[in-house]
Amino acid sequence: MTGLREAVVDLDAISANVRRIREITEGRRVIAVVKADGYGHGAVPVARAALRGGADMLGTADVDEALALRAGGIEAPILAWLHAPDQDFDAALAAGIALGVSSGRELERVAEAASRDGRPARVHVKLDTGLSRNGVPRSDWSDVVARVRTLVDAGRVTLDGVFTHLSNTSDEDDRIAVRVFDEGLDLVSESGLGPRMIHAAATAAAIAVPESRFDTIRLGIGMYGFSPVPGITGAELGLVPAMRLVSQVASVKRPEVGTGVSYGYRYRTSENSTLALVPIGYADGVPRQASGLGEVSIGGRRHRVAGRIAMDQFVVDVGDAPVDVGDEVVIFGDPATGAPSAAEWGEHAGTIDYDIVTRIGPRVPRRYTGAE
Ligand SMILES: *Cc1c(COP(=O)(O)O)cnc(C)c1O
């Protein structure tokens, strides 16, 4: 590498992870979730890699993310499901984006936009089956389904999908939510509507709760190479982490014994201390909570962060290891290569791998390997 820091994203790993999850889920259709800039990996290149791997559709949280994919030249179907109260749906419909709808109010606003657009809006109705976030509450299911029926008959919407999102509290809790969802699906079919896509499972349930797979899954974290299933690693599932976060040693020094390191002198050197400076910090997404705990790999050996992680840099004490200026520092990558994993950093920081990869900041250039 050159420069201070870099996130290297292997696009072939993304494609392979999509293929692998399709195998595990016995060929279900895949909505590849590329919200939050593709979980920090870069939404447009990840979207292309996911489509090469067999994804059928892309998922974003919001309309702006979906429009950014279109601006990046992506023509595949896209679903966006989280909307502001004053969301402008006109641009979304003009760009052919399917919309998740979580209330009667949203449904009406989408239908009004469709009237202006002159074509029916593609709608996926989201049912709340227990997560208590967005999604139509159960008490409103009948009314919303009836209203969808009317709008379909009027040519203002097409019901492309019905979906829900699960809590991952336990497999049993997810099964209960799936049974609740089934009741919603019954209401939909009783009204004579036949949505093309029915989806409930994100990565965890897609792997662990087969009855949640319906005909389509929404694949996020698994596509990036991580396992959200407790007790099963990504490697055990045949998934490969796509992102490697690297830096290079900017300076090396051998201070006197007892020298304090970084803000607050939370670490002090011993006889064998060699301090290597790593120029990446919490502004770049290395979690400050992992100060004194996180590990990096230099020359194939693990070294722990010495003292506090600062905004732009941290220090590791490499002891007597032969570390030099310019040596590559792997902050996280594929644990199969001996690198620390994003999940380890998550444990040190009291969070999860999702959070670690998603928070990689804008100061870190992304470099892509694999098929473009
Ligand atoms: C983020 C998200 C997903 C993807 O979840 P993973 O656990 O990353 O697979 C799926 N569905 C919805 C509604 C989401 O918000």
Side-chain angles (χ1 to χ4, degrees):
M1 69 162 293
T2 57
L4 296 164
R5 34 187 118 84
E6 198 170 61
V8 186
V9 177
D10 179 357
L11 296 173
D12 290 342
I14 300 273
S15 307
N17 291 333
V18 173
R19 279 192 287 273
R20 178 65 193 133
I21 294 283
R22 291 202 75 176
E23 270 170 33
I24 294 172
T25 59
E26 300 172 326
R28 295 305 196 284
R29 273 195 296 236
V30 169
I31 300 174
V33 179
V34 297
K35 63 190 179 186
D37 197 24
Y39 290 38
H41 295 61
V44 169
V46 166
R48 290 192 199 288
L51 294 165
R52 275 196 301 277
D56 303 274
M57 189 177 202
L58 302 167
T60 61
D62 63 57
V63 165
D64 286 348
E65 294 175 313
L67 293 173
L69 293 175
R70 287 280 183 264
I74 303 235
E75 290 170 3
I78 306 175
L79 173 66
W81 54 73
L82 183 63
H83 313 301
D86 57 351
Q87 187 72 45
D88 171 8
F89 291 115
D90 293 42
L93 295 184
I97 291 156
L99 296 166
V101 158
S102 283
S103 66
R105 181 179 185 276
E106 274 180 8
L107 179 64
E108 296 309 329
R109 296 193 72 251
V110 168
E112 285 159 20
S115 298
R116 289 189 292 271
D117 190 51
R119 292 172 298 178
R122 298 175 172 281
V123 162
H124 290 229
V125 170
K126 185 171 188 183
L127 302 179
D128 183 357
T129 57
L131 187 59
S132 310
R133 301 192 327 193
N134 69 353
V136 180
R138 208 169 171 176
S139 52
D140 295 353
W141 286 1
S142 302
D143 287 353
V144 168
V145 169
R147 187 64 187 145
V148 169
R149 175 79 251 181
T150 305
L151 291 168
V152 167
D153 292 342
R156 292 172 68 195
V157 309
T158 61
L159 183 65
D160 280 15
V162 177
F163 72 120
T164 189
H165 195 41
L166 304 173
S167 73
N168 300 337
T169 305
S170 67
D171 292 355
E172 187 46 31
D173 282 288
D174 283 353
R175 281 189 201 100
I176 291 168
V178 165
R179 287 198 287 275
V180 174
F181 186 49
D182 277 328
E183 292 173 29
L185 295 175
D186 287 345
L187 275 178
V188 171
S189 52
E190 280 158 23
S191 76
L193 294 164
R196 205 168 49 83
M197 299 176 102
I198 296 181
H199 44 113
T203 305
I207 293 166
V209 185
E211 58 266 58
S212 73
R213 290 173 189 160
F214 294 91
D215 55 50
T216 304
I217 62 158
R218 295 185 308 275
L219 175 62
I221 200 74
M223 171 169 69
Y224 302 96
F226 300 100
S227 167
V229 181
I232 309 184
T233 65
E236 285 163 350
L237 292 167
L239 303 173
V240 177
M243 185 192 284
R244 260 172 96 238
L245 182 65
V246 295
S247 179
Q248 52 181 345
V249 174
S251 78
V252 169
K253 56 180 76 155
R254 222 159 142 109
E256 280 173 37
V257 173
T259 302
V261 177
S262 194
Y263 294 129
Y265 293 162
R266 301 280 286 258
Y267 182 86
R268 288 191 181 268
T269 56
S270 58
E271 283 98 84
N272 304 318
S273 288
T274 306
L275 301 180
L277 182 68
V278 184
I280 183 169
Y282 63 75
D284 307 301
V286 179
R288 184 173 178 276
Q289 294 90 333
S291 293
L293 298 170
E295 290 182 3
V296 301
S297 175
I298 307 175
R301 282 171 65 170
R302 293 283 195 110
H303 301 285
R304 178 163 296 139
V305 174
R308 286 233 167 91
I309 294 167
M311 191 180 293
D312 318 302
Q313 51 192 288
F314 62 85
V315 172
V316 290
D317 184 344
V318 300
D320 290 324
V323 169
D324 244 324
V325 170
D327 286 0
E328 184 183 71
V329 182
V330 182
I331 292 101
F332 62 77
D334 182 356
T337 66
S341 66
E344 270 176 59
W345 277 92
E347 280 161 31
H348 291 312
T351 184
I352 52 176
D353 40 17
Y354 289 70
D355 184 13
I356 298 297
V357 291
T358 304
R359 67 164 77 190
I360 301 305
R363 223 166 49 170
V364 181
R366 272 63 168 175
R367 182 162 66 82
Y368 296 96
T369 64
E372 267 292 345

